[in-house]
Amino acid sequence: MPNGGVFRFLFLISLFTLSLSSIPKYDNIFLPIHLHNDDSLSSSASSCPAPNPNLNYKPVIGILTHPRDGASGRLSNATDASNIPASYIKFAESGGARVIPLIYNEPTEKLLKKLDLVNGVIFVGGWAKQGLYLETVERILKIAFQRNDAGEHFPIYGISLGFELITIIISEDNNILDKYNARNQASTLQFVENADIEGSIFQSFPPDLIKKLSTECIVTQNHHFGISPEKLQGNEKLSNFWEILTISTDENNQVYVSTVRSRKYPVTGFQWHPQKNAFEWGSASIPHTENAIRVTQSAAGFLVSEARKSTNRPNDQEVRDNLIYNFKPTYGGKAGKGYDEVYIFE
């Protein structure tokens, strides 16, 4: 080897040796082989706490279908069709649950049997406020109250229309809602004075995200109806049932109740849509920022954490026979509007 090559070789060796000497030493880090050879370390490092036997680590959420195909007849014209936007299903799954569809117009006996398989329910958004749909929501809601009164923790999420229907049912007034202009709107959530978030959905939100809810438009509103704080508080039945957590304003600067929780039951009402930020893309107004996605994740996590408290342990095979995995979604977002994916039941 020429002298120049020898020199370069020795120079590289010296650099390599120097770099090795500069690597910090972590004497307290042990590889698995070290733990295997050291019984004192192995016994403590490999022990994991046993799962809490009082919690259900296989929670199942029932989601009630909504009439028609969710796409103004573009996907199905069947008069008995009903649907669940896939965003609600992904929402529940992202929190760590599986989903069973509750088909609103199926025989009552079949619907009730499915309710025995779930640990909580989501009432979705939409437009149906009367007839069989309202009756089905009321039936499920009463069963949820009965199960909670009997000692089972059984959570309900009423989202947009779902919240409106619970409000109609509790007030026993089909005209309790007022019109608002909050169609396809990103907004903030303003916490009411002295709002107690302990034990509410917002308890699961990181503190920095709680602050951003009131300063950044990171929730999605999409509704024509709602209820004002004054009207809710002025109705004895509603004020006894709901505790207001947040309010929001529509395009005309009219104030409405945006988040509530039941004073007695694990029931949360949203006028906004926690599922849309991460899983819907058809509207330009849906926020997809990192903080908006964290809103979806935190809301999903709270729902499933509540469902884990359910003492109901249904038969595994019956659950599998009824899971949403037995159905296929339809891609409805190709037109660039409406839901991206929807499950249609006929």
Side-chain angles (χ1 to χ4, degrees):
M1 179 183 296
N3 291 337
V6 173
F7 177 77
R8 283 194 296 273
F9 176 75
L10 293 174
F11 177 71
L12 290 173
I13 289 295
S14 63
L15 281 180
F16 178 70
T17 304
L18 182 62
S19 65
L20 285 178
S21 64
S22 64
I23 295 177
K25 295 182 179 179
Y26 300 100
D27 296 332
N28 59 337
I29 294 181
F30 297 91
L31 298 176
I33 188 173
H34 297 140
L35 297 177
H36 180 73
N37 292 332
D38 190 329
D39 291 338
S40 63
L41 291 172
S42 179
S43 60
S44 60
S46 63
S47 60
C48 297
N52 186 339
N54 297 318
L55 294 180
N56 180 359
Y57 293 101
K58 300 172 65 176
V60 180
I61 301 297
I63 302 182
L64 185 65
T65 66
H66 184 272
R68 307 306 293 266
D69 68 343
S72 302
R74 288 187 292 113
L75 303 176
S76 173
N77 285 316
T79 57
D80 64 343
S82 65
N83 77 89
I84 300 175
S87 53
Y88 289 97
I89 293 162
K90 296 174 184 177
F91 174 68
E93 290 177 340
S94 70
R98 291 172 296 169
V99 169
I100 286 180
L102 307 174
I103 302 173
Y104 88 95
N105 54 356
E106 64 187 346
T108 300
E109 182 180 345
K110 189 173 182 179
L111 178 65
L112 296 180
K113 187 174 182 179
K114 286 184 179 180
L115 278 175
D116 288 337
L117 302 177
V118 303
N119 308 107
V121 168
I122 295 176
F123 296 136
V124 302
W127 48 264
K129 288 188 174 69
Q130 58 187 359
L132 178 60
Y133 193 69
L134 177 60
E135 293 171 10
T136 303
V137 171
E138 184 169 9
R139 183 179 295 114
I140 294 173
L141 191 63
K142 287 182 177 179
I143 290 173
F145 292 164
Q146 291 169 0
R147 288 169 70 162
N148 278 288
D149 288 338
E152 178 189 349
H153 197 82
F154 191 84
I156 295 283
Y157 262 22
I159 297 175
S160 194
L161 171 68
F163 161 53
E164 295 168 13
L165 292 178
I166 296 174
T167 299
I168 288 173
I169 292 165
I170 297 299
S171 68
E172 300 180 343
D173 183 354
N174 286 28
N175 299 309
I176 193 69
L177 303 175
D178 293 316
K179 288 189 176 181
Y180 286 88
N181 183 16
R183 179 76 173 171
N184 291 324
Q185 176 193 20
S187 82
T188 62
L189 297 178
Q190 301 299 321
F191 287 88
V192 300
E193 186 176 2
N194 299 322
D196 181 12
I197 67 172
E198 184 70 25
S200 78
I201 178 178
F202 296 114
Q203 178 180 307
S204 66
F205 282 51
D208 70 300
L209 189 57
I210 290 287
K211 295 179 181 178
K212 293 180 186 300
L213 283 171
S214 62
T215 59
E216 297 182 9
C217 294
I218 52 176
V219 303
T220 300
Q221 310 283 357
N222 189 26
H223 55 95
H224 291 299
F225 293 90
I227 188 168
S228 69
E230 295 78 16
K231 196 168 188 178
L232 188 151
Q233 291 171 330
N235 184 290
E236 185 177 359
K237 294 176 182 177
L238 291 179
S239 62
N240 286 337
F241 183 81
W242 287 132
E243 177 186 355
I244 302 175
L245 298 177
T246 73
I247 57 175
S248 298
T249 55
D250 71 355
E251 298 285 357
N252 300 324
N253 209 35
Q254 299 296 308
V255 178
Y256 57 87
V257 175
S258 51
T259 318
V260 292
R261 68 167 171 178
S262 171
R263 298 181 183 277
K264 182 179 179 180
Y265 298 106
V267 179
T268 305
F270 307 78
Q271 193 64 77
W272 47 287
H273 290 263
Q275 85 288 351
K276 283 185 178 289
N277 293 356
F279 303 114
E280 293 288 359
W281 306 89
S283 172
S285 66
I286 299 173
H288 298 295
T289 63
E290 180 180 354
N291 287 328
I293 303 305
R294 292 169 69 201
V295 168
T296 295
Q297 294 168 338
S298 297
F302 179 76
L303 169 64
V304 177
S305 70
E306 289 289 284
R308 289 193 186 101
K309 300 175 185 177
S310 169
T311 55
N312 185 29
R313 303 291 192 275
N315 177 271
D316 284 343
Q317 188 58 53
E318 289 187 54
V319 169
R320 289 192 290 268
D321 288 343
N322 288 278
L323 288 173
I324 193 67
Y325 306 143
N326 293 287
F327 304 88
K328 293 183 179 180
T330 298
Y331 178 30
K334 193 172 183 179
K337 59 182 179 181
Y339 301 114
D340 285 85
E341 284 186 311
V342 62
Y343 287 80
I344 300 174
F345 307 88
E346 297 179 343

